[in-house]
Amino acid sequence: MKIWQWDDRKSITLTRYVVVLAILASAVAAVCGPWLVTWLMNTRHLRASGPAVGAALLVLGYLCAALAFWMLYNLYRFLHRLEQGQVFVPQTVQALRRISWCCVGAALLCLPAGVLLYLPFAFLGIAAGFMALLVRVLKNAFAQAVRMKDELDYTI
């Protein structure tokens, strides 16, 4: 009798489902952007107020949403390649590079917004910067593995 076991394939599949849910949640947040900005301005103590601040928050939100969609798409493709056994290929390194740049972009958007508008954005910026660093290290490890695999493939 075979007992149900958790394996790498199920883990990747679960992660892909979570990425899809994150894409859907990001889409809902993007559609509800004006309402979310109004709520934030009415319920939180921002460092500044007024229509210009609301517009800045909305632009910031949509820029972060664009980065999130691009990052999640690349993460989904990365997981799809892992599932197919295409681990040490240049496309995997490219996906990780794009993910890290999305995190850098989010950090560059959120850090100043935290200082100027609403302090919790600064913590999001710090977290995004930390994630960029981690993904960059992972990308460098994958790039080295791709180079080693290519050398091994060319060795007779």
Side-chain angles (χ1 to χ4, degrees):
M1 179 170 147
K2 186 175 181 179
I3 299 174
W4 184 80
Q5 292 182 350
W6 193 255
D7 60 11
D8 291 340
R9 187 168 198 84
K10 290 176 185 155
S11 179
I12 291 171
T13 301
L14 175 63
T15 307
R16 285 179 65 199
Y17 286 139
V18 171
V19 169
V20 169
L21 287 174
I23 291 170
L24 293 174
S26 296
V28 168
V31 169
C32 296
W35 179 83
L36 290 170
V37 166
T38 302
W39 172 80
L40 181 65
M41 292 190 66
N42 290 335
T43 60
R44 301 289 178 221
H45 299 287
L46 299 174
R47 294 178 189 257
S49 62
V53 173
L57 286 172
L58 196 58
V59 168
L60 175 70
Y62 285 131
L63 289 173
C64 286
L67 289 170
F69 284 125
W70 185 238
M71 183 205 65
L72 290 167
Y73 169 77
N74 279 285
L75 182 57
Y76 187 86
R77 296 290 302 146
F78 172 80
L79 292 167
H80 181 70
R81 282 190 201 91
L82 289 182
E83 194 172 44
Q84 291 183 338
Q86 299 174 358
V87 179
F88 302 117
V89 295
Q91 294 87 352
T92 301
V93 174
Q94 182 67 22
L96 289 169
R97 181 178 292 116
R98 289 175 181 161
I99 291 168
S100 73
W101 280 114
C102 287
C103 292
V104 167
L108 291 176
L109 288 171
C110 290
L111 280 172
V115 172
L116 299 173
L117 299 173
Y118 187 49
L119 186 60
F121 290 153
F123 296 114
L124 291 174
I126 292 168
F130 185 68
M131 286 305 300
L133 178 65
L134 291 176
V135 173
R136 203 68 183 174
V137 168
L138 187 61
K139 189 266 321 166
N140 290 335
F142 270 77
Q144 181 65 26
V146 167
R147 283 191 294 274
M148 291 171 67
K149 179 183 169 282
D150 287 346
E151 284 180 25
L152 187 60
D153 288 345
Y154 292 129
T155 303
I156 298 177

